[in-house]
């Protein structure tokens, strides 16, 4: 089973400042088709999770362009260029390369 | 607009059967390119994949749940179901019905979730 390690566990942020979360995989998530099979999700308080980034770097429909995903192989990063108050919640990376999906443990983003 | 609505008993006794249904509206579950699944969130834990099924009927289960889990579709009702038996206290969680836009990735639609408590 592929293990995803997210850091940090908790991230206090200042509105208007940038923020980043990393996700490290125990195995390469690069498919032979050249795509990285990693997504990023945000679960806001009291809501269902929502898709932010899919296949490593593709922003989902309706997601603000302050969110971006990067990385390849085993190391991935989610960046928020300028944090807004509505960005608080728990962020998860997820991989679906093999026949078993796994999630990172989550990063809780809070406003300072 | 796709909508996913989970339903099931809020309380299940340990060793009994946990059975959930997801009613899908706005799209046929059997149309190509649609993949469906269940993801759960236990108290104090992170998201955990339960299992997924694609439009052709291929299923994949979490290795840790595989021996107790069945995921299926009812095309006549446009529903997805999951059965976990026997249930244990560690199955207490919010269960989300989801759609994958691509097999095993890109979970682009989530239901509101249904809470299941396994307790005597």
């Amino acid at each position: 089973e592929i293990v995803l390690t997210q850091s940090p566990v908790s991230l206090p942020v200042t509105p208007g400042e940038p923020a980043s979360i990393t996700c490290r995989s125990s195995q390469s998530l690069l498919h032979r088709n050249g795509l990285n099979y990693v997504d990023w999700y945000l679960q806001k308080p009291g809501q269902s999770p929502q898709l932010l980034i899919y296949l490593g770097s593709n922003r989902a429909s309706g997601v603000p362009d302050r969110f971006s995903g990067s990385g390849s192989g085993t190391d991935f990063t989610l960046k928020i260029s300028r944090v807004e108050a509505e960005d608080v919640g728990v962020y998860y990376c997820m991989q679906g390369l093999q026949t078993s999906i796994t999630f990172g443990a989550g990063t809780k983003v809070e406003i300072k | 607009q796709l909508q996913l609505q989970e339903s099931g008993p809020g309380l299940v006794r340990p060793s009994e059967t946990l059975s959930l249904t997801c009613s899908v509206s706005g799209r046929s579950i059997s149309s190509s390119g649609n993949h469906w699944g269940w993801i759960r969130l236990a108290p104090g834990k992170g998201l955990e994949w339960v299992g997924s099924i694609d439009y052709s009927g291929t299923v994949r289960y979490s290795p840790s749940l595989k021996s107790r889990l069945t995921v299926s579709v009812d095309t006549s009702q446009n529903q997805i179901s999951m059965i976990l038996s026997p249930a244990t206290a560690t199955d207490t969680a919010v269960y989300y019905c989801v759609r994958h836009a691509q097999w095993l990735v890109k979970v682009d639609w989530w239901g509101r979730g249904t809470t299941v408590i396994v307790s005597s």
Side-chain angles (χ1 to χ4, degrees):
Chain A
E1 182 175 275
I2 294 177
V3 177
L4 301 181
T5 303
Q6 279 186 240
S7 61
V9 172
S10 176
L11 181 59
V13 296
T14 301
E17 295 296 307
S20 67
I21 300 168
T22 63
C23 177
R24 177 161 290 176
S25 175
S26 60
Q27 299 178 35
S28 176
L29 300 181
L30 181 62
H31 192 276
R32 59 181 178 270
N33 63 13
L35 300 174
N36 286 283
Y37 277 48
V38 63
D39 301 335
W40 290 92
Y41 298 86
L42 165 61
Q43 184 162 29
K44 296 182 179 181
Q47 297 185 18
S48 300
Q50 62 183 94
L51 176 66
L52 295 176
I53 303 291
Y54 64 95
L55 295 174
S57 59
N58 299 278
R59 202 176 303 115
S61 176
V63 174
D65 60 8
R66 63 179 181 274
F67 290 94
S68 64
S70 63
S72 185
T74 61
D75 293 291
F76 300 89
T77 302
L78 175 72
K79 293 182 179 178
I80 310 174
S81 59
R82 293 175 306 279
V83 172
E84 296 191 5
E86 66 181 22
D87 300 336
V88 299
V90 182
Y91 290 75
Y92 296 92
C93 57
M94 184 198 89
Q95 70 78 27
L97 180 67
Q98 299 179 344
T99 58
S100 176
I101 292 173
T102 52
F103 285 90
T107 295
K108 188 173 185 179
V109 172
E110 303 171 301
I111 297 295
K112 284 183 180 176
Chain B
Q1 178 88 345
L2 179 64
Q3 290 190 348
L4 308 174
Q5 179 64 58
E6 305 91 344
S7 60
L11 179 65
V12 177
R13 305 296 183 195
S15 81
E16 296 189 347
T17 296
L18 189 164
S19 180
L20 299 177
T21 297
C22 174
S23 297
V24 178
S25 58
R27 191 161 307 180
S28 169
I29 63 171
S30 59
S31 58
S32 65
N34 285 290
H35 319 280
W36 311 96
W38 295 91
I39 292 170
R40 69 184 184 181
L41 181 66
K45 304 285 187 178
L47 295 173
E48 180 186 14
W49 175 64
V50 174
S52 297
I53 185 167
D54 78 2
Y55 64 95
S56 67
T58 299
V59 291
R60 292 289 182 264
Y61 298 140
S62 166
S64 65
L65 301 174
K66 186 175 183 178
S67 63
R68 302 188 291 128
L69 177 65
T70 301
V71 175
S72 61
V73 297
D74 183 339
T75 55
S76 67
Q77 298 292 320
N78 219 43
Q79 292 178 334
I80 305 129
S81 298
M82 63 161 280
I83 294 174
L84 198 56
S85 184
T88 71
T90 59
D91 297 320
T92 295
V94 177
Y95 286 78
Y96 296 98
C97 176
V98 303
R99 186 192 86 124
H100 300 265
Q102 185 167 335
W103 183 231
L104 298 186
V105 290
K106 197 178 179 182
V107 180
D108 60 350
W109 286 96
W110 297 69
R112 291 190 174 186
T114 188
T115 298
V116 177
I117 297 172
V118 181
S119 175
S120 55

